[in-house]
């Protein structure tokens, strides 16, 4: 909301946990973070594809699995308040790892449950 993103093409083999993917679903176009990749082949919408497990950063639950065919690209930069921030530098990667670690911790779950919305 109110941010501009830069998206680059991404091959299915180069998607990794922590990437932010732009994908098409029945509600429109969504940019959310990859939290996992299902191993093997799963049927989604009548087609066989290894889906990505995706979740918004502010969400506690995952979106429905996303097939490769739904992916438009990987978000490589975000522009907020007139400043562009690349998502592929060392500082961002450190923050991404910390966010993944926190999302799995009990502290995060307690804060999510007790934080007033």
């Amino acid at each position: 909301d109110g941010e501009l993103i830069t998206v680059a093409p991404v091959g299915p083999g180069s998607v990794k946990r922590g990437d932010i993917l732009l994908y098409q679903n029945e509600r429109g176009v969504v940019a959310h973070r990859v939290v996992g990749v299902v191993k093997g082949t799963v049927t989604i919408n009548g087609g066989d594809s290894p889906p990505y497990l995706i979740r918004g950063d502010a969400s506690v639950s995952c979106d429905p699995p996303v097939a490769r065919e739904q992916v438009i690209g990987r978000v490589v930069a975000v522009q907020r308040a007139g400043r562009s921030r690349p998502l592929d530098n060392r500082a961002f990667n450190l923050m991404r790892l910390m966010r993944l670690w926190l999302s799995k911790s009990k502290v995060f779950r307690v804060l999510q449950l007790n934080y007033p919305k």
Side-chain angles (χ1 to χ4, degrees), residues 12-83:
S14 64
V15 173
K16 60 186 179 298
R17 204 169 84 188
D19 285 347
I20 300 172
L21 296 182
L22 184 68
Y23 68 95
Q24 178 78 40
N25 67 13
E26 62 279 347
R27 296 180 320 192
V29 178
V30 180
H32 280 169
R33 189 174 308 277
V34 175
V35 294
V37 179
V38 174
K39 303 288 186 207
T41 303
V42 176
T43 301
I44 299 177
N45 299 330
D48 289 338
S49 177
Y52 303 112
L53 301 176
I54 295 185
R55 178 176 60 192
D57 287 346
S59 181
V60 217
S61 60
C62 290
D63 298 348
V66 175
R68 288 179 179 173
E69 297 78 29
Q70 293 175 264
V71 175
I72 298 168
R74 179 187 351 220
V75 178
V76 294
V78 176
Q79 184 177 351
R80 287 184 193 127
R83 292 182 53 193

Side-chain angles (χ1 to χ4, degrees), residues 93-103:
N93 287 332
L94 179 60
M95 290 298 293
R96 178 176 58 86
L97 291 172
M98 288 176 59
R99 184 179 289 122
L100 286 171
W101 176 78
L102 280 174
S103 70

